[in-house]
Amino acid sequence: MRIGIPRTLWYFTYAPFWRTFFTGLGAEVVASRLTTRKTLDAGVTACVSEACLPIKLYFGHLIDLADRVDYLFVPRLMSVQGNRVFCPKFLGLPDLVRHSGLKLPPLLDVAIDRRTGPLFLWRSCWWLGRRLGARGRAIVRAFFSASRTQRKYWARLTGGGLPEGAKPPTRPDAHRAAGGAPPVGPPVRIALLGYPYLIFDEYANLGLLDKLRSLNVDYRTIETVPERVLRRQNPFFPKRPFWRYSDLVARSGYHFLGPGRAEVDGVVHVTAFACGPDALVDKVLELEGERKRCPYLNITLDEQSGEAGYITRLEAFVDMLRRRVATTPD
């Protein structure tokens, strides 16, 4: 039995848990291939035009898996902590897929909602295990093994490790060997804020991580900020976002613009075109950056593949940071 998981949206956050769980039940887990132009074109064709970029990519990844698996795992991801919920596209994802008109394998659709009680994840796993015909003891073993794997994964990400399924950035020396210009000036540090499915999808972000390394920029993402540090930012919020990923981005931003200001020289926020929560969080962080006199840059990604505009802005931003660092007394 082969279970397909699209390599986008929550994949970069929770893939180790679900891979370990399904493997523990005897299934083979198949992730969709890295995003390409073909993936995006297929998603744009299959999805409604009003959808945001990540949803169009999700449909492209579903199509990539359609002929290679027996089931598609498309959970209704609602809440995993406190009262924060995932944005509406996560909540309605199984319905969007089911009514898309695409010829797809059967969906494994289960609700994951922390608000139903502390055993919410166990109940979801039990339901999935029984649906796949697993025995109770096997489900218990798979669940606890998946939980241990996920805890190790969190620790790895906090230490700066790369998420599962992400393509490693090109090494700076490889960039120079390919004919690229060597970095000019001392290194600078930025907080690279954004959803993991934008930050770690090389095609969607037009090679942003490689570009930063070629510019000699060291970056910190939201995954490197420990949960206990994020919780300390709650009192400083005028109003916390309702949505899980947006809440993480906003609290990380407040950390780097506040107590963690010395860790970075500036902030870059990567957003998705047509994303409502992004528009709200970006304005809040922009105003906070202005108040703290911290350089701030927004990069909005869409389904167009032209990178010249954003690269010019990014290079200008890094040059400005470098001059600012050079003229700021220690």
Side-chain angles (χ1 to χ4, degrees), residues 55-107:
I55 287 296
K56 292 173 180 174
L57 287 172
Y58 190 84
F59 273 79
H61 282 273
L62 287 176
I63 293 170
D64 177 71
L65 287 166
D67 297 330
R68 301 192 287 136
V69 298
D70 302 306
Y71 291 97
L72 284 170
F73 182 48
V74 185
R76 192 182 303 277
L77 196 53
M78 302 176 74
S79 170
V80 295
Q81 189 176 48
N83 293 322
R84 302 298 101 180
V85 296
F86 287 83
C87 90
K89 64 174 176 279
F90 286 87
L91 275 59
L93 208 50
D95 301 316
L96 278 173
V97 174
R98 192 168 285 116
H99 298 289
S100 65
L102 296 173
K103 291 183 178 180
L104 298 172
L107 303 187

Side-chain angles (χ1 to χ4, degrees), residues 169-184:
T170 305
R171 291 164 44 200
D173 54 348
H175 171 77
R176 290 193 290 276
V184 178

Side-chain angles (χ1 to χ4, degrees), residues 100-165:
S100 65
L102 296 173
K103 291 183 178 180
L104 298 172
L107 303 187
L108 289 176
D109 167 17
V110 63
I112 300 171
D113 190 353
R114 171 69 177 79
R115 298 168 300 176
T116 60
L119 299 179
F120 71 104
L121 188 55
W122 161 247
R123 285 196 294 270
S124 299
C125 288
W126 178 263
W127 185 89
L128 282 169
R130 298 303 290 176
R131 172 156 181 204
L132 295 174
R135 295 187 175 183
R137 185 172 297 179
I139 299 173
V140 171
R141 281 199 302 265
F143 176 78
F144 282 105
S145 177
S147 299
R148 287 192 298 271
T149 300
Q150 186 67 26
R151 283 195 293 273
K152 293 177 182 176
Y153 184 63
W154 291 132
R156 195 181 88 193
L157 291 183
T158 305
L162 200 65
E164 178 174 325

Side-chain angles (χ1 to χ4, degrees), residues 15 48 56 99 120 128 204 214 246 254 263 269 280 290 298:
V48 294
K56 292 173 180 174
H99 298 289
F120 71 104
L128 282 169
S214 72
S246 301
Y254 267 69
E263 301 174 26
H269 185 200
L280 175 66
E290 186 177 337
N298 166 260

Side-chain angles (χ1 to χ4, degrees), residues 283-327:
K283 193 61 184 177
V284 170
L285 292 179
E286 180 187 348
L287 293 173
E288 186 67 8
E290 186 177 337
R291 195 169 73 85
K292 297 293 179 61
R293 301 180 64 82
C294 178
Y296 183 88
L297 175 68
N298 166 260
I299 294 176
T300 300
L301 303 173
D302 59 22
E303 59 235 50
Q304 306 301 319
S305 57
E307 59 184 25
Y310 104 84
I311 286 180
T312 301
R313 295 176 61 221
L314 185 64
E315 289 177 341
F317 183 73
V318 172
D319 285 344
M320 184 269 293
L321 290 182
R322 197 159 277 140
R323 287 198 299 273
R324 201 168 191 263
V325 170
T327 57

